[in-house]
Amino acid sequence: MTPEILIPGATPLAQLERLWRSGAPARLDRACKPGVEAAARAIATAAAGQAAVYGVNTGFGKLASLKIAAGDTATLQRNLILSHCCGVGEPCPTAITRLMMALKLLSLGRGASGVRWALIELLEEMLACGVTPVVPAQGSVGASGDLAPLAHMTAVLIGEGQAEVGGRILPGAAALAAAGLAPIPLGPKEGLAFINGTQFSTAWALAGLFGAWNAAQSALVTSALSTDAIMGSTAPLHPDIHSLRGHAGQIEAAAALRALLDGSEIRESHREGDTRVQDPYCIRCQPQVTGAAMDVLRMAARTLETEANAATDNPLVLTAAGMIVSGGNFHAEPVGFAADMTALAISEIGAIAQRRVALMVDPTLSFDLPPFLTPDPGLNSGLMIAEVTTAALMSENKHLAHPTVTDSTPTSANQEDHVSMAAHGARRLARMVENLNVILGVEALCAAQGIDFRAPLQTSAPLARVVARLRAEVPALAEDRYLAPDIATASRQIASGDLARAAHLPLPALLG
């Protein structure tokens, strides 16, 4: 597979999403090599000197005041990695770990970390050869960097820890050897450069963001289906309404819904003589809610794009100024905020979608659709409990959306007395996206069933293609059957983006 060439400081989110989805290897643009080597020379000079430089010839954290002898600096870095391999829980998915490795390349490529080029090449070769460190998912508080998970990643570079290669979990040295690679002992500061950083939290947050945006696009499609299923009005989609408010996401969401519903016979059939004056908010306010969530996701995207390209270890080598300076770029507060914002958006997209599901199964609100969308209610329960499932997942996501970044606690003998909690704030997004995909999948099942009941009236051409895509795997519900596989299939079509793509219409992009 052709590697993605990453430009430190200028790699866009679209390229990182390709990496995450495709599993392609990654390499740094070689234009960054002189800067990397200049910083490495600065560290070598500092290590040979008498002055105490944090992380080069001192202890770490609360032990920073202890000077380390020049002959012990390599042992210092090795001990740092081994002692910090304290992660617990299930291993990270391969795609997350590989994205984390690529993000670490980007950070080191900024030329402010002081590592030798050979270590960058080894990390690149691990990606190219499919050597994936086993990284437990729990143990980081998001400052001073994602220490434990990044230590598990780095351990493999020195022949320790564990890695997966060729479908087998092997000790680090054996995994490298299986790929024709060899470990590299760490020099001064190099261990600290690898574990002081936000790449674990950022990788999880990016994956959550990409999944959330896919769900937002799918929600536009499923909500258009629901609007036609309950014979909702398109009047609230008039472009002037949305331009008068001015929010970009709202304007784009309304435009997408207009395009999706354009040409629907169902819509045209009730323009005149409809006794309803207004639709419920879950239909009428779709652009205002989903559009607002899209705007929030874009704010998070800009933060995470910046963070993905950042130098986030400590200390940093400022070669132009001739200084090695301790700072706090390892603190993942921006990532924590972005994760919390993403969680709120996921929760709200699901909340309004669940209300549309509830609307469609309720005969008092669905404008003449049969109870629970079954042609023979009473004998059959139809989609009654599918709606209950969406209510359960909506509520679960509401709880998961509570902010994590506000939940700091002091660590490391109060040296690290405020932390971001970005790691688990970002990790929860995967579960939330899975829940949202199910909610939207059930909405698609309900809406397609509702549109079928409107025959002989036809929906729009784009939405007819969406229904056909769903029906290719999930037949209409004529009588009760085992529904779990149907829900799983519809959710998979949402997660893959297949259902949204079936409309054959452009949908809003995350970033231009």
Side-chain angles (χ1 to χ4, degrees):
M1 192 179 294
T2 303
E4 293 276 354
I5 304 301
L6 308 181
I7 301 176
T11 294
L13 281 190
Q15 189 174 17
L16 295 173
E17 183 171 7
R18 284 200 306 272
L19 271 176
W20 174 63
R21 292 191 184 280
S22 71
R27 299 177 69 83
L28 292 181
D29 187 308
R30 269 28 192 177
C32 73
K33 186 175 180 180
V36 169
E37 292 181 327
R41 288 193 296 271
I43 290 296
T45 299
Q50 296 302 310
V53 179
Y54 174 69
V56 177
N57 52 16
T58 72
F60 307 103
K62 196 73 171 180
L63 305 176
S65 60
L66 300 179
K67 185 79 160 44
I68 306 299
D72 290 332
T73 55
T75 302
L76 173 70
Q77 298 299 314
R78 178 180 174 82
N79 287 350
L80 172 71
I81 299 305
L82 298 180
S83 68
H84 282 54
C85 286
C86 294
V88 298
E90 293 296 315
C92 293
T94 297
I96 293 286
T97 302
R98 288 178 63 84
L99 180 57
M100 178 177 71
M101 294 163 72
L103 294 174
K104 179 54 73 174
L105 284 175
L106 278 174
S107 182
L108 299 176
R110 293 298 299 272
S113 299
V115 304
R116 290 166 293 162
W117 187 256
L119 284 165
I120 288 176
E121 288 182 319
L122 179 55
L123 197 56
E124 291 176 337
E125 289 303 315
M126 288 169 62
L127 284 168
C129 297
V131 179
T132 306
V134 175
V135 178
Q138 293 172 277
S140 173
V141 295
S144 149
D146 293 315
L147 295 172
L150 288 172
H152 282 276
M153 179 196 79
T154 308
V156 178
L157 278 78
I158 62 173
E160 300 289 345
Q162 291 182 310
E164 187 273 330
V165 59
R168 295 184 298 160
I169 303 296
L170 299 174
L176 291 174
L181 305 174
I184 298 177
L186 298 174
K189 191 193 174 287
E190 288 177 333
L192 196 60
F194 270 86
I195 70 170
N196 243 340
T198 67
Q199 288 75 40
F200 173 86
S201 297
T202 304
W204 277 101
L206 284 171
L209 173 71
F210 299 147
W213 189 262
N214 175 78
Q217 290 182 317
S218 297
L220 293 173
V221 174
T222 58
S223 63
L225 285 169
S226 298
T227 299
D228 234 15
I230 63 100
M231 291 186 136
S233 174
T234 55
L237 303 177
H238 193 288
D240 289 356
I241 293 175
H242 306 286
S243 62
L244 280 168
R245 198 173 199 187
H247 292 297
Q250 177 179 329
I251 291 169
E252 290 177 90
L257 288 167
R258 288 195 303 273
L260 286 162
L261 286 158
D262 185 45
S264 168
E265 291 180 2
I266 297 174
R267 172 62 187 117
E268 294 306 318
S269 72
H270 62 97
R271 284 192 184 274
E272 302 293 334
D274 193 333
T275 58
R276 298 169 299 173
V277 177
Q278 292 180 326
D279 291 319
Y281 288 178
C282 66
I283 298 295
R284 191 174 4 138
C285 299
Q286 292 172 74
Q288 288 83 357
V289 176
T290 305
M294 288 161 52
D295 284 339
V296 168
L297 291 174
R298 283 169 171 156
M299 287 184 242
R302 292 184 182 95
T303 295
L304 294 175
E305 186 173 62
T306 298
E307 189 71 11
N309 284 280
T312 57
D313 67 275
N314 180 61
L316 291 173
V317 182
L318 310 180
T319 51
M323 303 167 63
I324 301 172
V325 184
S326 287
N329 280 5
F330 50 73
H331 201 298
E333 194 83 354
V335 183
F337 274 121
D340 282 347
M341 292 163 66
T342 302
L344 289 169
I346 292 170
S347 181
E348 280 298 276
I349 293 169
I352 194 170
Q354 199 284 326
R355 297 318 303 153
R356 293 191 296 267
V357 172
L359 182 71
M360 286 185 283
V361 300
D362 186 343
T364 64
L365 298 173
S366 64
F367 202 57
D368 298 329
L369 292 176
F372 305 107
L373 298 166
T374 175
D376 188 12
L379 179 62
N380 294 282
S381 296
L383 292 162
M384 178 191 294
I385 304 305
E387 184 270 330
V388 174
T389 296
T390 66
L393 298 181
M394 173 189 68
S395 184
E396 185 175 311
N397 272 3
K398 287 179 181 178
H399 284 277
L400 289 170
H402 287 196
T404 60
V405 79
T406 55
D407 190 27
S408 176
T409 189
T411 62
S412 193
N414 281 299
Q415 175 76 6
E416 298 159 8
D417 59 351
H418 182 279
V419 297
S420 71
M421 297 300 180
H424 65 269
R427 280 195 300 111
R428 69 173 158 172
L429 298 179
R431 180 174 163 192
M432 293 185 72
V433 168
E434 287 181 5
N435 290 344
L436 177 54
N437 289 339
V438 174
I439 294 171
L440 297 176
V442 172
E443 182 181 15
L445 292 174
C446 291
Q449 189 83 353
I451 285 172
D452 287 347
F453 281 120
R454 300 301 182 187
L457 296 174
Q458 299 295 307
T459 189
S460 68
L463 294 182
R465 290 190 290 269
V466 172
V467 173
R469 178 66 187 89
L470 179 66
R471 290 284 178 255
E473 296 185 82
V474 181
L477 188 64
E479 58 185 20
D480 283 352
R481 62 174 181 254
Y482 186 54
L483 278 178
D486 293 354
I487 293 173
T489 297
S491 303
R492 174 176 49 77
Q493 289 189 4
I494 294 289
S496 67
D498 285 351
L499 207 65
R501 282 191 295 271
H504 296 169
L505 286 177
L507 293 170
L510 180 56
L511 292 179

